[in-house]
Amino acid sequence: MRILVVHNRYQQPGGEDRVVEAESCLLATMGHDIEQWEENNDSIASPLSAVLTALQSVYSFEQARAMRQRLQHFQPDVVHIHNFFPRLSPSIHMECHRAHVPVVQTLHNFRLLCPAAILHAAEGRCSGCAQRIVPWPAVVRGCYRQNRLASLAVANMLATHRLLGTWNRCVRRFIALSENARQTFVAAGLPAEKIMLKPNFVDPDPGMGTGDGNFALFVGRLVEEKGVATLLAAWQQLATPLPLKIIGDGPLAASVVQAAAIHPNIESLGMRDRSYVQQTMAHATILILPSTWDEAFPVVIAEAFAAGLPIVASRLGAMAELIEDGQTGRLFVPGDATQLARTIESVVARPRELQAMRLRARAQYEQKYTAAANYPQLLAIYKAARSSATAPALQSRLEAIG
């Protein structure tokens, strides 16, 4: 097949970018003709630029023309959209719909339901906008970049395309990364028959690690919803000292650096490349995943399992679904630093059970999260998208916008 892969990168590289790269490489290796179209958010450097970019996210005439040209030139069998926000906009979905080219969209986060994309607010989990035509609570709170004007623009984008039925009409198949995420989207109104399940994967295989480093590891963006505050608080309560290495960058980086300066067992390593992360995972004792939002599928889970690295994670969303408590890791109450500390102590105090967890984690990777396991699932989704009937009923309404 000829597949156009579309992705709007974020300013801070993350799991989505690695998934796009891995899937594109896999498809090319299997003989498909791949063209990648990527944009980035580097121009969003101020509150004003955030507002202007968010306004453009409703419909971009420029990107609509660019998509039209790519469709004519490359003539793809399938367009696979990973992220369209904010620079590409749903105008690209509409162009594909006009040209009767099937669209597959991966639901990496909850952007279609929530202007902030994370279903999370200061007080914790939040679904206040998921089932509203107009997601006004996000505007009141300034959920997108802590900017009410920018949040208003994103809310306008979501409201416009909910009213137009863009997602239902212009996307043939959605990819949900976990059953928890799938159910969240179905509850919010996306058609269940269009949402197919396919997890993230890790390729190439980094191999089973040794786990001989005697340290815990955190890898991720240093933001509130990743549970950074819970992580740092837990390390103040550990009865048995255990070194903690923190890899990542973000708004809370200064807090992490400050904690590392005070606490001898906390080490802030900043942003590192994937090779360094994989090497560190190979020697880590446990991975800590203390997120307080319902992540769709943290790719770090598959990466840890590939290394045979057990995970101590929040009992929440996809984490509770993918990590078997007592088998491939341990779960704790989200946001409870005391329980996190006690759980970590319990895990490291039982080396024989920890080793059994390592073997089971690696077995999970080999069974579910390799390229060989993932490819037939992805191919089946593309074939389902191509075989489904077109939906031209909204054509006149779409043309009125274009």
Side-chain angles (χ1 to χ4, degrees):
M1 283 187 282
R2 300 170 66 83
I3 304 158
L4 176 60
V5 178
V6 183
H7 183 50
N8 191 139
R9 287 179 174 267
Y10 298 102
Q11 288 174 322
Q12 291 181 355
E16 287 188 31
D17 301 324
R18 298 197 298 277
V19 170
V20 174
E21 180 180 353
E23 283 192 1
S24 298
C25 289
L26 173 61
L27 290 166
T29 299
M30 298 305 292
H32 300 285
D33 194 356
I34 307 300
E35 180 173 302
Q36 288 184 280
W37 177 18
E38 290 191 345
E39 297 289 337
N40 61 65
N41 292 352
D42 292 347
S43 63
I44 308 176
S46 68
L48 177 59
S49 62
V51 173
L52 294 176
T53 304
L55 284 169
Q56 187 187 40
S57 72
V58 178
Y59 189 95
S60 170
F61 291 96
E62 176 186 357
Q63 303 297 2
R65 286 192 296 270
M67 175 58 87
R68 190 157 52 245
Q69 292 169 359
R70 288 177 182 273
L71 294 177
Q72 292 170 352
H73 177 263
F74 184 59
Q75 297 185 354
D77 297 301
V78 175
V79 173
H80 188 162
I81 299 174
H82 286 271
N83 179 37
F84 65 87
F85 182 85
R87 294 184 55 80
L88 292 169
S89 85
S91 64
I92 63 174
H93 298 73
M94 294 177 169
E95 286 301 323
C96 293
H97 181 82
R98 289 191 182 99
H100 303 291
V101 177
V103 170
V104 170
Q105 179 161 332
T106 298
L107 301 168
H108 288 284
N109 54 43
F110 298 102
R111 181 75 66 190
L112 300 190
L113 312 181
C114 165
I118 58 176
L119 296 176
H120 186 277
E123 64 273 16
R125 298 170 68 186
C126 172
S127 58
C129 296
Q131 298 185 33
R132 298 178 188 271
I133 294 295
V134 180
W136 60 264
V139 180
V140 175
R141 293 175 174 179
C143 291
Y144 177 66
R145 292 178 175 259
Q146 291 75 56
N147 185 318
R148 285 192 174 89
L149 284 176
S151 298
L152 175 61
V154 180
N156 183 40
M157 181 271 289
L158 291 176
T160 298
H161 293 286
R162 287 172 184 177
L163 287 168
L164 287 173
T166 301
W167 319 129
N168 292 355
R169 302 281 187 162
C170 299
V171 179
R172 300 276 188 89
R173 288 295 183 272
F174 295 95
I175 297 176
L177 303 175
S178 65
E179 181 59 31
N180 177 77
R182 183 179 183 277
Q183 291 302 325
T184 299
F185 281 104
V186 170
L190 260 64
E193 67 277 8
K194 284 191 174 186
I195 308 177
M196 301 180 72
L197 194 62
K198 185 192 77 66
N200 290 326
F201 68 99
V202 175
D203 189 62
D205 179 0
M208 178 81 172
T210 58
D212 57 357
N214 190 38
F215 64 88
L217 178 66
F218 171 91
V219 180
R221 291 180 297 116
L222 303 182
V223 292
E224 177 202 350
E225 61 269 18
K226 287 290 187 178
V228 175
T230 304
L231 177 69
L232 298 178
W235 245 255
Q236 302 294 331
Q237 302 181 41
L238 285 179
T240 304
L242 178 68
L244 169 66
K245 297 180 185 289
I246 298 178
I247 297 177
D249 197 4
L252 297 183
S255 298
V256 171
V257 171
Q258 183 180 19
I262 298 172
H263 199 299
N265 283 325
I266 297 178
E267 183 179 4
S268 176
L269 297 172
M271 183 66 75
R272 298 299 179 106
D273 62 28
R274 296 317 302 167
S275 176
Y276 184 93
V277 171
Q278 287 178 340
Q279 291 175 18
T280 308
M281 281 187 170
H283 296 285
T285 304
I286 51 175
L287 180 77
I288 313 297
L289 195 55
S291 294
T292 56
W293 73 286
D294 289 7
E295 301 204 45
F297 187 124
V299 71
V300 71
I301 291 180
E303 292 172 333
F305 283 174
L309 179 59
I311 305 172
V312 176
S314 300
R315 190 186 299 275
L316 184 66
M319 294 174 289
E321 175 185 337
L322 304 173
I323 300 163
E324 297 179 67
D325 196 15
Q327 299 298 308
T328 55
R330 289 294 306 278
L331 301 173
F332 71 97
V333 175
D336 190 331
T338 300
Q339 191 180 91
L340 172 56
R342 301 293 86 82
T343 302
I344 293 168
E345 291 167 355
S346 174
V347 170
V348 299
R350 296 174 171 82
R352 185 174 296 178
E353 293 179 16
L354 184 61
Q355 179 60 24
M357 284 185 186
R358 292 181 57 79
L359 296 175
R360 286 191 289 264
R362 174 65 190 184
Q364 282 286 293
Y365 166 73
E366 293 175 351
Q367 179 183 355
K368 299 179 180 179
Y369 307 124
T370 64
N374 206 269
Y375 174 67
Q377 299 176 62
L378 183 57
L379 196 63
I381 293 169
Y382 288 162
K383 288 181 177 179
R386 294 183 67 190
S387 63
S388 61
T390 59
L394 197 63
Q395 190 75 24
S396 60
R397 294 166 71 185
L398 297 177
E399 287 175 352
I401 292 180

